[in-house]
Amino acid sequence: MKILFCSDPLDSKVVDQEYEQEYKCARKLGMDVHLVSLESVLDEELSKAVKRIPTFEVPERFIYRGWMLKPNDYEKLYYTLQQKNAILINSPTEYRIGHYFPYSYEAIKKATPQSIWLGIEELSNGFDVLFEKMRIFKNKPVMVKDYVKSRKHEWEEACYIPDASDQQRAQTVLRNFIDRQGSELNGGIVIREFIQLEQLANHPKSGMPLSNEYRLFFLHHKLVQCTEYWDEVDYQQEFPNLDSFIDLAKGVASQFFTMDIAKTTGGEWTVIEIGDGQVSGLPSHADLEQFYKSIMELEVNPER
């Protein structure tokens, strides 16, 4: 297994500072590491983006560890690398499944809050179609996000709707969300039933409530690592039983993905979302050596 990291935006010869510790750890363990220019990918200069990657005689599998890419950009990178016999762990279809919420919803439906969505192109004539779909929530509180991200740091203005049947309030929150996401809006709008999570603390800068949450990494549907989600919280709670989530992961059509889980105030554990493992961050307190050793072991023996 080879690892492909983003290079520094100003120097394609060195790794992006955000991934420096992962890069050093992977190299220390003897993994073959390479660099790709994300800026060149986004500028559609694909040959330039992968110029530091050799052409291999036989297909070699790669895991990309870097910043998020929209599915169309990931697809361009995937096929450019394929010409060099460098094969990313997730196909473009698998990347979309992990990265865009609606594509993984069916796999986690029984263990996550009820959700509906609408592509952004379907909102060009207003919110009437979306409001019709939102009737399923009756007067329950809901949250707004796009296919990838929410704006939880703007909770009242662009995320939370206390009553799904209040169309005036919903319209205000939706317009705020769409306007503020701007060109960063991914795919469309997702509306999710709001579930109260067990809170551990508040973020020291934004004041945002921090929930009892964990991030699980899966490779070939085997658990690689479970790590506490927040760096800002001292976790002293009982570690969750992961058996049901490990079983649930078998239904996610991706080779490398994350599953974020959180505890509700009612004491149950729920799935927050699925993410593509290549663009999902590791908290700074995560055990990098254990993470990359597990990847190496699973690649050699995926049935373990």
Side-chain angles (χ1 to χ4, degrees):
M1 175 67 75
K2 302 180 188 301
I3 311 296
L4 183 63
F5 290 98
C6 284
S7 61
D8 186 279
L10 301 178
D11 186 352
S12 63
K13 298 183 183 68
V14 299
V15 68
D16 187 303
Q17 191 173 23
E18 187 69 23
Y19 291 91
E20 186 175 4
Q21 294 307 311
E22 286 193 44
Y23 179 87
K24 288 180 177 178
C25 180
R27 284 193 66 179
K28 178 183 174 184
L29 293 172
M31 301 184 84
D32 195 1
V33 296
H34 295 267
L35 298 176
V36 62
S37 169
L38 179 63
E39 290 68 35
S40 295
V41 173
L42 299 179
D43 289 338
E44 298 195 30
E45 297 177 331
L46 280 307
S47 296
K48 182 179 178 182
V50 302
K51 70 177 183 179
R52 306 193 66 80
I53 301 164
T55 298
F56 298 95
E57 292 185 5
V58 297
E60 298 283 354
R61 183 140 52 189
F62 275 74
I63 284 178
Y64 166 71
R65 288 292 295 158
W67 301 105
M68 289 181 179
L69 289 163
K70 289 189 175 180
N72 288 343
D73 292 321
Y74 181 87
E75 183 173 5
K76 292 172 187 174
L77 176 61
Y78 181 91
Y79 288 116
T80 301
L81 288 168
Q82 190 179 62
Q83 294 173 16
K84 293 194 165 199
N85 265 340
I87 313 300
L88 290 175
I89 186 85
N90 283 336
S91 70
T93 297
E94 289 169 329
Y95 179 80
R96 191 181 296 270
I97 287 169
H99 194 51
Y100 271 5
F101 178 84
Y103 294 87
S104 61
Y105 181 68
E106 193 60 35
I108 61 173
K109 186 176 179 179
K110 65 181 181 181
T112 198
Q114 188 174 30
S115 306
I116 60 100
W117 55 86
L118 206 62
I120 194 63
E121 68 282 353
E122 298 178 83
L123 294 168
S124 58
N125 294 321
F127 297 118
D128 289 348
V129 177
L130 184 61
F131 288 154
E132 187 62 32
K133 295 189 76 169
M134 286 175 62
R135 289 182 183 275
I136 195 171
F137 298 111
K138 299 180 180 178
N139 63 346
K140 294 178 181 178
V142 294
M143 290 178 58
V144 176
K145 66 189 294 290
D146 66 17
Y147 286 10
V148 179
K149 291 184 176 182
S150 68
R151 298 186 70 86
K152 288 186 290 187
H153 55 291
E154 297 173 349
W155 184 253
E156 297 289 343
E157 297 88 2
C159 184
Y160 180 65
I161 302 171
D163 179 350
S165 67
D166 183 350
Q167 294 186 5
Q168 185 174 355
R169 172 64 180 164
Q171 181 166 299
T172 298
V173 172
L174 284 162
R175 288 199 183 282
N176 285 342
F177 177 81
I178 292 170
D179 290 345
R180 296 176 189 185
Q181 285 293 87
S183 62
E184 296 301 312
L185 192 144
N186 278 274
I189 296 297
V190 176
I191 307 293
R192 309 201 69 197
E193 181 181 350
F194 172 72
I195 302 295
Q196 187 68 55
L197 301 178
E198 180 180 87
Q199 304 299 324
L200 301 181
N202 291 318
H203 194 281
K205 292 183 179 179
S206 69
M208 181 179 72
L210 305 180
S211 58
N212 190 357
E213 193 169 350
Y214 290 81
R215 171 160 286 177
L216 285 58
F217 277 84
F218 290 91
L219 176 64
H220 304 312
H221 298 95
K222 307 291 184 181
L223 183 64
V224 171
Q225 189 174 73
C226 174
T227 184
E228 297 155 346
Y229 189 88
W230 300 106
D231 285 315
E232 298 83 2
V233 173
D234 181 18
Y235 282 72
Q236 298 179 346
Q237 286 67 27
E238 183 179 352
F239 197 77
N241 185 315
L242 301 178
D243 290 347
S244 63
F245 300 112
I246 292 172
D247 188 60
L248 197 67
K250 296 174 184 176
V252 179
S254 169
Q255 293 305 307
F256 186 48
F257 62 93
T258 55
M259 181 184 293
D260 293 343
I261 64 172
K263 191 177 184 180
T264 69
T265 52
E268 298 177 342
W269 286 89
T270 184
V271 177
I272 301 301
E273 63 186 1
I274 298 295
D276 185 87
Q278 301 175 103
V279 298
S280 295
L282 277 163
S284 62
H285 63 263
D287 187 337
L288 294 182
E289 188 165 320
Q290 185 269 326
F291 177 75
Y292 279 103
K293 278 184 175 179
S294 294
I295 287 175
M296 293 169 69
E297 291 169 6
L298 270 172
E299 189 61 17
V300 173
N301 182 19
E303 300 304 318
R304 78 158 173 81

